[in-house]
Amino acid sequence: MTKYFTLLMFILVSSFILTSCNQPLRKQEEGLEENKEVEVKKQISLNGVFLNTTWGEVTQQLAEEYEEETGVSVNIELVRRDMIFQKMSLSIAGNASYDLFNVDYNWVPELVSTNSLLPLDTYMVKEQVDTEVFLPRALSLTQWNGKNGAYGEGGNNYGLPQTIHPHILWYRSDLFKKNKLKSEFKSKYGYNLTPPKTMDQFRDMAEFFNGKIVNGKKIYGWAGQASEGFGNVHTWLTFVYSNGGDVIDWNKMTSSLSTLEVIEATKTWIDLLQFSPPGINDYTFSEVSDDAAKGKVAMAIHWSWAADKVDDQAYSNTVGQWDFAQTPAMKASVPHLAGWTIVIPRTSKHPDEAFKFMVWLESKQNDIRQAQMGGGDPVRLSSYLDPTLKQVEVKGTDVKKFRRYEAVNEAMKTAKARPFFPQEEQWESIVTGYLHAAQLGEMSVEEALTKADEAVNDLLR
C-alpha cells in the first residue's frame, strides 16, 4: 500500500512541475507571436512623393510622428512638380516602388484614364471615412466619374484633398483707410473707397492707386500672374469664370474660347494689366508675392495660401497691412480654384497602410496642425471655424495670422476648377501662348482666341 501511495504522489508532483514549467513557456510563445506582429508592422515602409513646398515639408515632419505612433515608417521625397509625374510613371511601369503621391488636382482625370490610380471608395467604407466633413469643392478635386468636364458632379474617389488655395482679392487695408486717399477717390469717382466687389470698381481702384507715391515709394494698382507657361491662364480663368464663361462646350466637346463671354473677360483682364508693374507679362507666382510683400502694389488677385508671405517678418515690409476679400465679379465672383491631393498608385505594395496614413494626415486634428505649421489652407470646414486658428497671431504682433480664412471659406462656395478632362495640361500649353500674344498686342483678342479655338479643337479631335 505504501508503495502505491508513494508512486501516486510522485506522479502528482511530476505533473505539477511539468504544468508549472509549461506555463511560462506558453506565455513566452504567446509573447513571441505578439512581438512577431509588431516586428512585421515595423517592417512596413511606405514611400511617398510630395511637392517640395510647405505642405510637403509639413508632411515629412508629421510622418515622423506617425511612425512613432504606429511603427509604420513613411519616407517622403520632396521633388519639383514635373518630377512627381515622372516618378508616378516609373511606379506604374514597375520600375519604382511608391505608395503615395501628392498631385496637382488637374492630373486626376489623366491618371484615372490611364488606370494609374487606386479607386478608394472601398477603403473609405472600411475605414469609415466621413466625406461630409470636407469642403465639397475640395473633395471634388479628388473625384471623377469618367465624364469630361464633370468637376463637382461626384464620381469615384481617387484621393483625399490636402490643401486648397482659391484666388482671393488681396488689398492694402492701410491704404484703403487713409482719409486723404479716401477723399481723393470719392472726389474723382463719386463713391467710397472700399474693397471692390465688381470688376468696374476694381478697375477704378487699380487706376486710382496706379502711380501713387506712398511713403516716398511709387506703387501700382494691382498684380497677378501673367507669364506665358500657365501663369497667365490661371489668372485669366478667374475673369472668364466670373463673366459666366467656360473654355469648352462639354456637350459638344469643342473649344468655346471665342464666345462673347470669354472675349469680354479677356479684354477686361488685358485692359487691367496697364495698371500693373512694369514687366507684368512675365510675372509668375513669386513676382506677385514679392511685390505684395515689398508694398509695390495696392491690390492683387492671387492664391490664398501665399498670403503667409506678406506676414513673414524676415521677408515682408507690409506685415499686417493686407486684408482679403472675394475676387471682383463681372457677373458673379467665381474664383479659379487650385489645390493638391494625395493619391495611391495602383501598383502600391501596401495600399491599406498607405490609405490609413492618408486618413490620419487629413484627420480633423492634423488638418488644423498642417495649417498651424504653414502647410497651406485646410480642406475641412471645421478648420475654418476652429477658435485656435482664429486666435493665432503673427509672432511678435497682434496681427491675426489666418485672417484670410473668412474670405477663403466664402470663395470655396463658388470656386471653379480648371477644365476637368485628361488633356488639361496640353490644353493649357496651347492657350497660354495665344493669351501671351494678345497681352503683347501681337494679335487682337478676337484673333488670338479664334486661333486658340482651332488649336484646341485639333487637340480634342
Side-chain angles (χ1 to χ4, degrees):
M1 188 73 179
T2 303
K3 188 187 293 184
Y4 289 117
F5 177 76
T6 304
L7 181 60
L8 180 60
M9 288 299 293
F10 175 78
I11 291 169
L12 288 172
V13 170
S14 299
S15 211
F16 174 76
I17 291 169
L18 285 170
T19 303
S20 300
C21 289
N22 281 339
Q23 281 179 349
L25 281 173
R26 248 194 317 270
K27 285 182 182 176
Q28 192 176 355
E29 286 171 3
E30 288 170 6
L32 285 170
E33 288 300 317
E34 288 175 10
N35 287 337
K36 276 183 184 176
E37 287 180 17
V38 172
E39 194 177 330
V40 168
K41 193 88 168 172
K42 282 184 177 178
Q43 286 172 354
I44 293 176
S45 183
L46 301 176
N47 297 309
V49 178
F50 278 63
L51 186 68
N52 61 343
T53 191
T54 55
W55 55 87
E57 293 166 0
V58 166
T59 303
Q60 265 190 339
Q61 295 174 51
L62 292 175
E64 294 176 8
E65 292 184 22
Y66 187 75
E67 182 172 2
E68 290 176 9
E69 289 182 23
T70 66
V72 175
S73 66
V74 185
N75 306 309
I76 301 294
E77 293 179 40
L78 300 182
V79 301
R80 300 189 315 269
R81 186 178 184 272
D82 59 324
M83 288 298 295
I84 295 175
F85 209 92
Q86 290 180 32
K87 287 179 179 287
M88 171 72 82
S89 299
L90 288 172
S91 186
I92 297 303
N95 296 322
S97 181
Y98 291 107
D99 305 285
L100 295 157
F101 280 92
N102 180 217
V103 300
D104 204 338
Y105 76 88
N106 62 306
W107 292 344
V108 169
E110 180 177 356
L111 292 169
V112 173
S113 68
T114 56
N115 194 28
S116 299
L117 300 185
L118 189 70
L120 298 180
D121 288 13
T122 302
Y123 293 87
M124 287 184 167
V125 171
K126 183 179 177 182
E127 295 297 324
Q128 298 181 320
V129 175
D130 181 7
T131 56
E132 297 293 321
V133 301
F134 295 101
L135 292 165
R137 281 176 167 78
L139 187 66
S140 291
L141 299 177
T142 72
Q143 298 173 327
W144 198 47
N145 61 10
K147 181 183 172 185
N148 291 328
Y151 168 75
E153 296 180 10
N156 289 328
N157 290 282
Y158 291 95
L160 289 179
Q162 183 177 22
T163 182
I164 47 92
H165 32 276
H167 271 157
I168 54 176
L169 173 70
W170 301 20
Y171 68 96
R172 283 278 300 278
S173 55
D174 62 321
L175 301 183
F176 276 72
K177 291 174 183 175
K178 281 186 181 292
N179 289 331
K180 183 174 182 295
L181 294 175
K182 288 166 69 174
S183 177
E184 285 179 17
F185 182 85
K186 188 165 186 178
S187 176
K188 183 173 182 179
Y189 295 97
Y191 63 97
N192 291 330
L193 179 62
T194 57
K197 292 186 177 179
T198 70
M199 201 61 75
D200 286 340
Q201 292 171 351
F202 182 64
R203 190 190 190 283
D204 287 345
M205 293 171 197
E207 179 185 55
F208 173 73
F209 282 113
N210 197 56
K212 279 273 186 290
I213 304 298
V214 177
N215 299 326
K217 184 186 295 184
K218 184 178 180 179
I219 65 170
Y220 297 90
W222 77 291
Q225 288 177 273
S227 62
E228 185 176 7
F230 306 154
N232 55 1
V233 175
H234 292 179
T235 306
W236 165 79
L237 277 173
T238 286
F239 286 77
V240 171
Y241 292 160
S242 294
N243 200 39
D246 206 344
V247 294
I248 290 176
D249 181 334
W250 299 107
N251 293 320
K252 299 177 181 176
M253 210 51 204
T254 56
S255 182
S256 57
L257 294 171
S258 55
T259 57
L260 290 176
E261 292 86 355
V262 179
I263 288 172
E264 183 182 19
T266 307
K267 286 182 175 179
T268 299
W269 165 63
I270 290 176
D271 171 59
L272 275 159
L273 291 177
Q274 68 181 297
F275 306 123
S276 298
I280 187 65
N281 290 315
D282 295 319
Y283 265 41
T284 66
F285 170 91
S286 297
E287 284 78 22
V288 179
S289 301
D290 288 346
D291 277 8
K294 292 172 184 173
K296 284 183 64 176
V297 292
M299 298 180 290
I301 292 177
H302 205 22
W303 306 121
S304 59
W305 74 278
D308 281 344
K309 285 284 187 185
V310 293
D311 286 335
D312 184 344
Q313 291 155 308
Y315 174 81
S316 173
N317 56 24
T318 57
V319 174
Q321 294 178 358
W322 288 91
D323 272 313
F324 309 93
Q326 300 311 292
T327 54
M330 293 185 74
K331 292 178 180 174
S333 178
V334 184
H336 172 200
L337 174 60
W340 284 71
T341 70
I342 309 171
V343 298
I344 301 174
R346 63 174 176 80
T347 50
S348 168
K349 293 177 181 176
H350 305 291
D352 293 289
E353 292 298 333
F355 186 73
K356 287 176 184 176
F357 174 72
M358 285 170 57
V359 172
W360 178 86
L361 185 65
E362 299 312 319
S363 65
K364 181 178 181 179
Q365 177 187 5
N366 285 331
D367 193 44
I368 292 170
R369 290 182 67 206
Q370 287 184 71
Q372 289 172 325
M373 296 165 73
D377 290 342
V379 294
R380 289 171 171 256
L381 175 60
S382 60
S383 299
Y384 290 88
L385 308 175
D386 185 81
T388 60
L389 287 180
K390 284 185 175 182
Q391 297 308 314
V392 174
E393 294 179 342
V394 176
K395 190 174 180 181
T397 75
D398 60 358
V399 175
K400 294 292 185 285
K401 180 176 175 62
F402 298 114
R403 61 193 181 281
R404 67 183 181 271
Y405 277 5
E406 184 177 344
V408 175
N409 190 21
E410 194 64 29
M412 287 303 292
K413 295 176 182 176
T414 59
K416 188 172 178 177
R418 296 195 280 283
F420 219 56
F421 71 123
Q423 300 103 315
E424 195 281 330
E425 293 234 326
Q426 294 168 268
W427 173 85
E428 281 193 67
S429 296
I430 292 169
V431 174
T432 186
Y434 289 104
L435 290 179
H436 194 65
Q439 290 166 241
L440 299 180
E442 296 171 354
M443 293 184 190
S444 69
V445 168
E446 289 86 351
E447 182 186 6
L449 292 177
T450 299
K451 286 182 177 296
D453 263 343
E454 294 169 1
V456 171
N457 283 329
D458 285 342
L459 170 70
L460 298 176
R461 283 190 186 99

